[in-house]
Amino acid sequence: MTDFRIALLPGDGIGPEVITEATKVLESLGKRFGYNFQFQEAIVGGAAIDKYGVALPDGVLEMCKKSDAVLFGAVGGPKWDDPTSKVRPEQAILGLRKGLQLFANLRPVEVMPFLMDASPLKKEILEGVDLVVIRELTGGLYFGKPQKTWTTSRGRRAVDTMAYSEGEIARVVRVGFELARGRKKRLASVDKANVVETSRLWRQVVNEIAPEYPDVQVEHVLVDTAAMRLIQRPASFDVIVTENMFGDILTDEASVLAGSMGMLTSASLGTRRTRRGTFGMYEPIHGTAPDIAGQKKANPIAAVLSTALMLRYSLGLPREADVIEDAVKRVLNAGHRTVDIAVQGDKVVNTVEMGDLIAAEVAK
Ligand code: IPM
Ligand code: MG
């Protein structure tokens, strides 16, 4: 029996509901293949603010560092939305990324054929979409100092700082090249080099690394153009690599291509090696969805597919990752849908039923 230590951070809203289904599927997989997943859970986000007064309580980072991987739900909600508050649920996710040095965020976007009707884009445009955005996750505007608001004689003023070192750029750009190499060998580096200084450095670093990967075709795309092309010709992208804020915005845009956010997942990777892979944090990208929390309406598929990424990247179990992904496809092919991806005439199942169906498929 091989043991794996998994830190569970369910968070707020639908986070706990979908993480419960994800662990159910992992347990089913463990039973079949002889793995023992030891789950250790901690409270983060708004729930932690209510209980401890902070979004990322002491000890959570340590617990994560002792694990092989982290499964994260989502944090936030209207209850903690006061912009003047010093404690915010989002501090949990930002603190985890920084504290665990998870600098590369992989967000794959595939369009499942049956979901094409759920997307606002035409079928012809969605045909063949299969891309991955790699977002730099621990630098840029979200972490640069100074970041503050102050009062001047002419009123209030605020500043954020966008800063990148060449080392920070190079390590994430290399993840992009490596990933492209294993796919269609096309890398689009997205920047704003016509205006922004950090983007000019970004572009230089990409050009300096490119000769190490002669088999990968590189193009530089300005972020505004990239935003347009994601809607006009999304299938023209394979791997996109970009800095933190551009990646935040473009990945929400890209998620629309897939028809439902309830299907999309992400992996945040650093450099620490685990026994069989790279340490990482895995999360569905849909957020807390407070409007449907507690109603068993949430789609657990993104959380379940997050566990497949975890098996592949952190636990060194690619075959078992395929088992989970295939199980999800079989359940969907059999016509089962949660309400977010259902069209008229579909059999609608709730969160728990969807988890049960996938877990049963995994056990076969
Ligand atoms: C995301 C989210 C986070 C981000 C928020 C919750 C801080 O939007 O993961 O994309 O902006 O990074
Ligand atoms: Mg975002």
Side-chain angles (χ1 to χ4, degrees):
M1 192 76 133
T2 312
D3 283 0
F4 293 104
R5 290 168 74 108
I6 313 294
L8 292 183
L9 308 176
D12 307 313
I14 61 170
E17 294 170 56
V18 297
I19 292 298
T20 301
E21 300 315 309
T23 55
K24 183 192 285 175
V25 171
L26 277 177
E27 262 158 6
S28 169
L29 184 94
K31 237 184 237 153
R32 173 167 160 198
F33 292 99
Y35 302 123
N36 178 27
F37 296 103
Q38 296 173 14
F39 299 113
Q40 278 158 317
E41 195 169 324
I43 299 177
V44 295
I49 292 177
D50 288 350
K51 192 154 183 205
Y52 304 108
V54 289
L56 187 62
D58 283 349
V60 176
L61 279 178
E62 285 315 307
M63 181 187 108
C64 293
K65 283 179 189 166
K66 286 192 200 122
S67 310
D68 294 299
V70 182
L71 270 185
F72 185 89
V75 291
K79 185 174 172 194
W80 308 282
D81 252 356
D82 175 6
T84 62
S85 174
K86 280 225 165 358
V87 285
R88 305 180 54 79
E90 291 75 14
Q91 288 160 345
I93 184 79
L94 295 173
L96 285 160
R97 289 169 181 170
K98 196 73 174 177
L100 300 172
Q101 296 177 319
L102 304 171
F103 65 86
N105 183 223
L106 277 57
R107 298 189 173 187
V109 180
E110 255 182 88
V111 183
M112 303 215 176
F114 76 89
L115 270 179
M116 283 193 181
D117 295 327
S119 171
L121 296 187
K122 292 195 199 99
K123 234 183 170 130
E124 305 86 81
I125 290 180
L126 295 173
E127 218 80 66
V129 170
D130 178 9
L131 60 91
V132 183
V133 182
I134 302 170
R135 164 186 175 192
E136 200 291 325
L137 208 54
T138 53
L141 271 178
Y142 294 20
F143 294 97
K145 295 276 162 9
Q147 180 181 58
K148 59 175 182 177
T149 306
W150 72 100
T151 307
T152 72
S153 54
R154 293 201 197 152
R156 280 168 301 167
R157 216 174 143 71
V159 68
D160 290 288
T161 302
M162 187 150 177
Y164 272 108
S165 69
E166 64 175 315
E168 283 176 307
I169 299 169
R171 62 184 183 178
V172 71
V173 163
R174 281 211 161 79
V175 174
F177 274 106
E178 293 290 337
L179 198 70
R181 188 166 252 184
R183 295 172 45 101
K184 285 173 270 172
K185 302 192 186 345
R186 293 204 314 266
L187 181 67
S189 170
V190 171
D191 64 34
K192 187 69 185 172
N194 52 347
V195 181
V196 174
E197 197 61 31
T198 43
S199 277
R200 285 191 274 270
L201 179 61
W202 183 282
R203 199 174 272 218
Q204 277 172 29
V205 172
V206 171
N207 286 336
E208 285 157 16
I209 294 175
E212 295 170 31
Y213 298 87
D215 51 326
V216 176
Q217 193 190 326
V218 190
E219 60 172 334
H220 299 283
V221 187
L222 292 173
V223 63
D224 41 0
T225 310
M228 192 170 68
R229 209 171 106 186
L230 265 175
I231 299 297
Q232 281 180 332
R233 290 186 294 129
S236 68
F237 288 115
D238 177 19
V239 178
I240 295 174
V241 65
T242 191
E243 69 86 41
N244 202 343
M245 184 179 62
F246 298 161
D248 186 19
I249 298 168
L250 292 180
T251 49
D252 265 28
E253 186 189 0
S255 75
V256 176
L257 302 171
S260 168
M261 271 201 156
M263 308 287 292
L264 295 179
T265 164
S266 87
S268 301
L269 305 175
T271 42
R272 178 162 81 77
R273 299 285 300 166
T274 56
R275 285 166 297 167
R276 306 171 66 153
T278 302
F279 175 74
M281 181 162 77
Y282 300 85
E283 61 181 298
I285 75 158
H286 48 57
T288 54
D291 51 323
I292 58 161
Q295 299 171 34
K296 292 194 192 164
K297 282 188 186 163
N299 183 349
I301 291 180
V304 169
L305 291 176
S306 298
T307 69
L309 293 185
M310 175 181 86
L311 294 166
R312 190 169 289 130
Y313 295 126
S314 292
L315 307 188
L317 301 173
R319 193 169 65 103
E320 289 77 356
D322 291 345
V323 167
I324 290 190
E325 287 166 356
D326 290 345
V328 168
K329 283 194 186 128
R330 282 202 301 276
V331 169
L332 290 169
N333 283 338
H336 304 289
R337 304 280 188 267
T338 43
V339 66
D340 58 312
I341 52 173
V343 290
Q344 250 182 353
D346 277 341
K347 292 178 256 181
V348 174
V349 297
N350 69 26
T351 310
V352 178
E353 290 162 342
M354 182 55 96
D356 288 343
L357 284 163
I358 302 170
E361 229 19 83
V362 160
K364 278 183 192 165

